[in-house]
Amino acid sequence: MQIESSFDQVWEAIASLFSTEEHLPAIKFFKIAVAVFLVVYLFYTFLVLRQVKLMSQFLATNISPIARIITWIYFVYTLFLLLAVIAM
Amino acid sequence: MSTLKTLEKYKPNGNPFSSFAWFPPRVNFATQEEKEKIVLLLRQHWVTNLGWIIACVFFTLLPYLFFSIKEIVLSGEIIDFFTPQVVFVLLSVWYLLVFGFMFSRFIHWYYNVYIVTTRRIIDVDFYGVLYKKISEADLNKIQDVTHTTIGTMELLFNFGEVRVQTAAEFSDIEFENVPNPSDVHKVIGELITDNKH
């Protein structure tokens, strides 16, 4: 039930980006632009994640696990930022 | 006396961020053979990172500069656009990009390494996220080793290029901007001689 209501909230937030109600057109356009950018950037961070994994598999050092954790945090942060922009 | 025994007077360098590490402990690579030892692990000299570090400091401070002068340079309607929500999103995305740039430059520097082992030399190149190139040459296939130091920074901080020519089709392996290029040259030369005997 809680998951369904959260999903509904996110869906309403996406729908509100395209509504013709009281939102300023500039801010609406800004939100769409940022959301699209973050979707593309999320794909880029996924590629970085893969690249760091390959690099640390080829060359194993003390720093490799830390680099992979930081890359994961970076990826998750980008995802949360995208969700936050959608839910704004 | 074996070259390896001579070189073992150099203590293993455990600094994980070193650009010039003798016998680095707890470092190994995927194609390393059982009895193969890493003699030198090299990266580009740390001074080559100064450009992007300074750029990152500037990018970090840029929002503060912008918001302190926005009333002067922007008109009223545009200033109204910068609601707290918009500012939060802008700053979050900006620092995400700055961090991403900084992290990718660091990873690029950290994992682009040059390895000299008891059997071969290896050049590992990662460019961006889509390009990876690993070149290697057995010590007994190396024909010529040269090193160059050109430029003020190179002279001040003692780094330069070491070029290794082999008999293979793609004959040159280049170690770019490595510290102490003359020492690298000397070590490779000694290992080649040792390998022949």
Side-chain angles (χ1 to χ4, degrees):
Chain A
M1 195 72 130
Q2 226 170 352
I3 295 169
E4 278 178 9
S5 69
S6 301
F7 180 78
D8 287 342
Q9 280 178 349
V10 171
W11 182 248
E12 277 172 16
I14 294 171
S16 73
L17 288 173
F18 301 96
S19 81
T20 54
E21 288 178 14
E22 70 283 359
H23 291 109
L24 290 169
I27 289 182
K28 211 162 47 161
F29 174 75
F30 169 76
K31 280 162 66 171
I32 294 169
V34 171
V36 168
F37 171 77
L38 284 175
V39 167
V40 174
Y41 198 73
L42 195 66
F43 178 67
Y44 170 76
T45 57
F46 177 73
L47 290 177
V48 170
L49 199 60
R50 289 283 302 158
Q51 185 73 315
V52 169
K53 184 182 171 189
L54 286 172
M55 288 177 188
S56 58
Q57 279 174 349
F58 181 80
L59 183 72
T61 69
N62 291 343
I63 299 297
S64 298
I66 300 171
R68 288 173 74 167
I69 289 168
I70 291 174
T71 318
W72 264 111
I73 292 171
Y74 177 54
F75 177 78
V76 170
Y77 176 75
T78 308
L79 183 61
F80 272 127
L81 193 56
L82 172 63
L83 293 175
V85 168
I86 290 171
M88 248 170 64
Chain B
M1 186 188 286
S2 153
T3 301
L4 196 58
K5 294 240 182 286
T6 316
L7 292 174
E8 280 173 355
K9 71 182 179 195
Y10 297 105
K11 288 185 190 158
N13 186 340
N15 179 357
F17 302 109
S18 175
S19 297
F20 189 96
W22 289 104
F23 304 101
R26 295 180 299 278
V27 173
N28 50 70
F29 58 96
T31 55
Q32 187 171 356
E33 293 166 15
E34 202 181 311
K35 290 184 182 174
E36 188 178 8
K37 274 181 99 169
I38 297 177
V39 176
L40 269 179
L41 178 70
L42 303 163
R43 295 186 178 90
Q44 296 200 7
H45 197 283
W46 63 264
V47 89
T48 58
N49 295 318
L50 275 181
W52 64 262
I53 290 173
I54 292 170
C56 282
V57 171
F58 173 71
F59 291 147
T60 304
L61 296 173
L62 197 59
Y64 295 101
L65 284 170
F66 174 75
F67 285 110
S68 59
I69 62 167
K70 73 173 166 57
E71 275 93 13
I72 302 166
V73 298
L74 298 174
S75 66
E77 279 180 10
I78 297 175
I79 289 176
D80 289 340
F81 172 77
F82 290 101
T83 61
Q85 275 184 332
V86 169
V87 169
F88 170 75
V89 168
L90 275 176
L91 285 177
S92 299
V93 172
W94 178 257
Y95 286 115
L96 178 75
L97 292 175
V98 171
F99 175 78
F101 173 69
M102 192 164 63
F103 185 65
S104 71
R105 297 299 304 170
F106 171 76
I107 289 294
H108 176 264
W109 171 78
Y110 187 80
Y111 282 108
N112 276 274
V113 295
Y114 311 107
I115 304 172
V116 178
T117 77
T118 47
R119 303 247 169 110
R120 50 190 159 152
I121 60 169
I122 303 167
D123 177 6
V124 180
D125 290 322
F126 288 98
Y127 299 114
V129 291
L130 298 173
Y131 182 91
K132 179 178 90 174
K133 179 180 164 194
I134 297 167
S135 316
E136 64 176 64
D138 283 344
L139 290 175
N140 54 19
K141 295 227 166 58
I142 293 173
Q143 292 182 326
D144 188 37
V145 183
T146 54
H147 77 271
T148 51
T149 305
I150 302 172
T152 315
M153 293 294 276
E154 286 80 354
L155 197 58
L156 272 173
F157 292 97
N158 188 23
F159 65 93
E161 184 187 88
V162 176
R163 181 175 291 206
V164 176
Q165 279 184 314
T166 71
E169 185 186 343
F170 300 102
S171 55
D172 281 8
I173 291 179
E174 292 174 6
F175 294 3
E176 293 176 353
N177 298 322
V178 292
N180 309 315
S182 57
D183 289 347
V184 176
H185 184 161
K186 185 178 162 192
V187 164
I188 294 175
E190 286 176 355
L191 285 169
I192 292 169
T193 310
D194 201 42
N195 231 277
K196 281 181 182 161
H197 297 135

